[in-house]
Amino acid sequence: MLAMARRVTKAVIPAAGLGTRFLPATKAIPKEMLPVVDRPAIQYVVEEAAGAGLTDLLMVTGRNKTPLENHFDRVAELEETLAQRGDEEKLAAVRAPQELADMHYLRQGNPLGLGHAVLRAHQHVGNDSFGVLLGDDIIVGGDELMREMIRVHEATGASVIAVQEVPMEDVRSYGVVSPRLVDGEPERVDGFRWPCVRLAELVEKPEPEQAPSNLAVLGRYVLRPEVFDVLEQTAPGRGGEIQLTDALQVLAKNPDIGGGVIALVFDGRRYDTGNKLDYVKANLELASQHPNIGAELRAWLRENIDQLAGPPEA
Ligand code: UTP
């Protein structure tokens, strides 16, 4: 397969999900706007994309998503007030989001699933390969991951997805992959910072007994534009939604369409901020690393960890 990739500079950030796992917090604001330490979750994702050289970003939004657009826009009045006060630090914090990337927005319309959200980006992305970063996933060191995924794509011409090992009993919450086998061994693609394997199959949220592996799909992808043609033909699958996983399954099974699919096995930390427990963990990890509050928080945690009470016993 000829490598025919051009430099990847565009990315799609799907952020139109309903966020039902985080109700009632997400009743009036999107889950991507929930703060993680001192900025909304979505800002980490946009910082990550920009850090990986993806500077043309299309955010696919839905109901209640105006705050997302406002966050990456100028607020002249607030900036003026801070400038008059000479508060440079806060002024820089207010300006940072709007300076990260060239932001574009599109309403998904009906939230018919992640595959549908990506398909809506077709006109903007055109015939280029592009990144996809789920707006509610925070990945520690994610810009390095994304940069490496782009390298794999540019070297092989394949679509690339990030996966991570999860406990077998958790696979029913994820898309799960199975590597292509050559002489009974996974077909590896060498030369990259993380292990990479070519894929034979992907399954959305399988029962553990039916899962082909415990390698779960994270919310990071580098996709060839051929995925749009496949998505056009993809019928609603699990949950009545158009599943991106189903389209990737077609690309994996038919490498002649779009160069196949490679999974990069990432070993870093990832938090799904649409999930309450992960959200709290993300706050703890990122707050612990924060230059202003990290040291104090770590000391507080060490002192109080044994006194943190669970729910009263029934
Ligand atoms: P989730 O599986 O987290 O679903 O979506 P959700 O609807 O956002 O949240 P819950 O399950 O109700 O709590 C995964 C990603 O796909 C996006 C979401 O915004 C999230 O980034 N998505 C999902 C869309 O953009 N559109 C959709 O129709 C569905």
Side-chain angles (χ1 to χ4, degrees):
M1 180 78 218
L2 267 187
M4 45 180 287
R6 274 188 275 164
R7 220 165 76 81
V8 183
T9 57
K10 292 181 184 170
V12 178
I13 301 184
L18 295 177
T20 56
R21 284 168 299 159
F22 226 131
L23 284 168
T26 48
K27 187 175 170 191
I29 55 162
K31 60 178 165 179
E32 294 82 3
M33 285 305 291
L34 295 176
V36 177
V37 190
D38 55 5
R39 62 201 73 183
I42 191 72
Q43 189 173 329
Y44 292 93
V45 178
V46 171
E47 285 170 356
E48 176 192 322
L54 299 166
T55 48
D56 176 342
L57 303 184
L58 176 69
M59 202 174 286
V60 183
T61 66
R63 187 185 68 94
N64 285 335
K65 301 292 174 158
T66 322
L68 285 168
E69 301 185 15
N70 289 345
H71 185 70
F72 294 98
D73 198 1
R74 286 204 61 190
V75 199
E77 214 177 79
L78 180 58
E79 287 179 38
E80 237 164 72
T81 308
L82 293 170
Q84 272 163 13
R85 288 186 194 160
D87 195 336
E88 293 301 326
E89 200 180 322
K90 291 202 184 81
L91 189 59
V94 166
R95 284 186 174 156
Q98 72 234 26
E99 286 164 359
L100 286 169
D102 188 7
M103 303 292 298
H104 305 269
Y105 301 92
L106 178 75
R107 292 261 171 176
Q108 185 179 356
N110 288 331
L112 296 178
L114 176 59
H116 179 252
V118 171
L119 181 55
R120 295 276 290 130
H122 190 180
Q123 198 177 8
H124 181 87
V125 168
N127 208 23
D128 293 322
S129 295
F130 62 105
V132 176
L133 299 90
L134 299 195
D136 52 1
D137 254 359
I138 291 183
I139 295 182
V140 180
D143 49 348
E144 288 171 40
L145 166 66
M146 205 65 207
R147 228 177 290 133
E148 193 67 359
M149 290 173 70
I150 293 170
R151 274 191 63 214
V152 177
H153 169 71
E154 289 178 346
T156 63
S159 290
V160 183
I161 66 178
V163 300
Q164 187 159 51
E165 281 192 54
V166 298
M168 206 48 165
E169 61 269 24
D170 292 348
V171 291
R172 57 167 72 85
S173 309
Y174 296 97
V176 171
V177 304
S178 94
R180 203 156 82 183
L181 299 180
V182 176
D183 300 330
E185 290 294 320
E187 186 179 346
R188 292 183 59 121
V189 184
D190 291 327
F192 300 100
R193 172 166 169 195
W194 286 282
C196 293
V197 287
R198 283 198 180 269
L199 293 188
E201 212 191 334
L202 295 97
V203 192
E204 185 62 23
K205 301 189 171 77
E207 288 303 317
E209 307 77 56
Q210 271 110 48
S213 76
N214 66 338
L215 292 175
V217 177
L218 311 182
R220 298 295 183 266
Y221 310 77
V222 177
L223 301 178
R224 289 257 303 240
E226 286 83 351
V227 74
F228 293 123
D229 303 328
V230 178
L231 279 168
E232 295 268 12
Q233 309 292 327
T234 303
R238 226 194 118 87
E241 297 192 334
I242 297 179
Q243 300 286 354
L244 183 58
T245 304
D246 291 346
L248 293 173
Q249 161 84 326
V250 172
L251 290 181
K253 286 202 160 161
N254 302 280
D256 49 316
I257 300 181
V261 181
I262 290 174
L264 179 154
V265 186
F266 181 60
D267 57 1
R269 298 245 267 245
R270 168 258 183 189
Y271 298 105
D272 170 6
T273 60
N275 163 307
K276 287 175 204 171
L277 180 59
D278 256 22
Y279 173 77
V280 175
K281 288 181 186 169
N283 269 285
L284 280 176
E285 168 153 4
L286 294 168
S288 301
Q289 296 168 1
H290 194 282
N292 298 347
I293 61 171
E296 232 177 291
L297 174 68
R298 290 194 307 272
W300 184 87
L301 281 171
R302 270 194 295 270
E303 252 169 57
N304 290 281
I305 198 76
D306 294 330
Q307 280 96 59
L308 292 175
E313 292 204 6

